[in-house]
Amino acid sequence: MIDTKDREIIEALQGGLPLVPAPYAQVAETLGLEEDALLFRLAELKSRGVIRRIAAAPNHYKLGMTSNGMTVWDVEDDHITELGTRIGQLPFVTHCYERPRALPDWPYNLFAMVHGKDEVEVEEKRAEIAAILGDACRAKDILYSKRILKKTGLRLKAKG
Amino acid sequence: MKLDATDRAILNRMQDDLPLSTHPYAGIAAELGTSENDLLRRLSRLKEERIITRFGPFFDAAAMGGAFCLCAMAVPAEKFETVLTKVNAHPEVAHNYERTHRLNMWFVLATETPEGIGATADAIERETGIEVLRFPKLQEFFIGFRVAA
């Protein structure tokens, strides 16, 4: 859980970190904190996994990775952990999860996101995944992204 | 916008963690063989041009006691924009993609409590009259999104 001070820090940073020489000092000032105190709190939030990293979110479309396919697979439950781990280690798989099926319409329990410069490249990568899954995979599909409809990341709700 | 070799090196490096130090950009600039001033100027431009959509901490709602959930809806084409406005109006919708499938709207809910997922998904169902399928993660096999620039 997070306390009031952590919450203020998260709210101050959810829009991003300032691009100035001493960004933490600037944020600390707006929060009425010493820079050291803010750095200490941030280190603690990192160690607890609340902050995964402080980094750039690239726009893959603008970087020429215009094709984004969510590949989905119906993998035998007995093999999901072993096979999911192998798929997750492929260098071109950016996210990989086991998720529940939604039967009867949605038989797929393994989701692996694949990016490429075009659909040909994504299909080549998808074929590599299919080869690894082999007979343990009973059905498969791919959902290409057509449009980003929203991308803001986490937003805490204002608390009254 | 044209990216030169330095821009690309910056994009690759800045997808990894920024240190918690007084002058975090200065160290990275030195690593990349440029000045702090040049790094900050280039980063600002990459952000303005939307090549970087965001620079800052990546939060994990689950580690805060909250939750994430991938959700999907089958939205009829003629209703798409109306439904989209209603869905995106929820601050819990962290991102949302249109995809090629009968289930054509896929979004992630990030909420401060586990109960927030169900409450938000139920509210979207009430507002739109369309079922919200919920796909919470059962196991995570990899996370560490990187794009080679």
Side-chain angles (χ1 to χ4, degrees), chain A residues 7 17-18 46 50 52-57 59 62 81 96 98-99 144 146-147 149-150 152 157, chain B residues 14 17-18 25 49 51 53-56 58 60 88 92 94 96 98 100 112 135 138-139 141 143:
Chain A
R7 189 184 177 84
L17 189 73
K46 263 188 173 173
V50 171
R52 285 188 168 222
R53 66 180 186 279
I54 300 172
N59 182 338
K62 291 222 171 185
T81 301
C96 187
E98 180 192 3
R99 299 185 185 279
Y144 283 102
K146 284 175 77 177
R147 192 159 49 121
L149 304 172
K150 187 178 187 182
T152 51
K157 259 188 171 174
Chain B
M14 298 310 280
D17 203 14
L18 186 80
Y25 300 110
E49 300 279 341
I51 290 167
T53 53
R54 188 174 168 280
F55 180 77
F58 284 68
D60 183 344
N88 279 3
E92 294 87 351
N96 189 355
E98 182 178 4
T100 54
E112 289 184 54
F135 300 103
L138 301 178
Q139 284 194 76
F141 297 116
I143 190 154

Side-chain angles (χ1 to χ4, degrees), chain A residues 95-111:
Chain A
H95 300 76
C96 187
Y97 296 101
E98 180 192 3
R99 299 185 185 279
R101 300 179 179 89
L103 297 170
D105 295 342
W106 188 263
Y108 312 109
N109 59 341
L110 181 69
F111 290 58

Side-chain angles (χ1 to χ4, degrees), chain B residues 11-134:
Chain B
L11 272 167
N12 289 334
R13 172 60 184 89
M14 298 310 280
Q15 291 178 67
D16 289 324
D17 203 14
L18 186 80
L20 290 173
S21 61
T22 299
H23 293 282
Y25 300 110
I28 290 175
E31 244 176 67
L32 299 174
T34 183
S35 66
E36 181 187 53
N37 195 26
D38 182 55
L39 173 65
L40 289 170
R41 193 180 54 79
R42 286 172 184 268
L43 275 174
S44 299
R45 203 178 55 137
L46 290 167
K47 230 175 122 176
E48 269 161 35
E49 300 279 341
R50 306 271 308 145
I51 290 167
I52 290 175
T53 53
R54 188 174 168 280
F55 180 77
F58 284 68
F59 298 107
D60 183 344
M64 283 183 224
F68 281 113
C69 186
L70 178 67
C71 298
M73 297 169 82
V75 184
E78 68 279 8
K79 283 192 184 170
F80 199 87
E81 294 305 317
T82 319
V83 170
L84 173 60
T85 305
K86 289 177 177 167
V87 171
N88 279 3
H90 290 268
E92 294 87 351
V93 176
H95 38 87
N96 189 355
Y97 282 84
E98 182 178 4
R99 294 194 177 274
T100 54
H101 193 270
R102 193 180 69 82
L103 292 169
N104 52 355
M105 191 183 286
W106 288 78
F107 53 91
V108 170
L109 296 179
T111 62
E112 289 184 54
T113 61
E115 301 74 40
I117 299 292
T120 308
D122 290 349
I124 292 172
E125 285 185 342
R126 275 196 308 277
E127 291 161 15
T128 62
I130 299 170
E131 186 184 11
V132 175
L133 294 179
R134 298 154 208 200

Side-chain angles (χ1 to χ4, degrees), chain A residues 47-114:
Chain A
S47 71
R48 283 161 51 202
V50 171
I51 293 176
R52 285 188 168 222
R53 66 180 186 279
I54 300 172
N59 182 338
H60 42 262
Y61 290 93
K62 291 222 171 185
L63 290 169
M65 306 283 277
T66 49
S67 192
N68 150 353
M70 183 171 77
T71 71
V72 292
W73 314 83
D74 176 14
V75 176
E76 288 172 17
D77 291 332
D78 288 350
H79 298 290
I80 184 86
T81 301
E82 177 220 330
L83 289 169
T85 304
R86 285 179 63 191
I87 302 305
Q89 284 166 351
L90 292 170
F92 52 81
V93 170
T94 55
H95 300 76
C96 187
Y97 296 101
E98 180 192 3
R99 299 185 185 279
R101 300 179 179 89
L103 297 170
D105 295 342
W106 188 263
Y108 312 109
N109 59 341
L110 181 69
F111 290 58
M113 197 69 76
V114 175

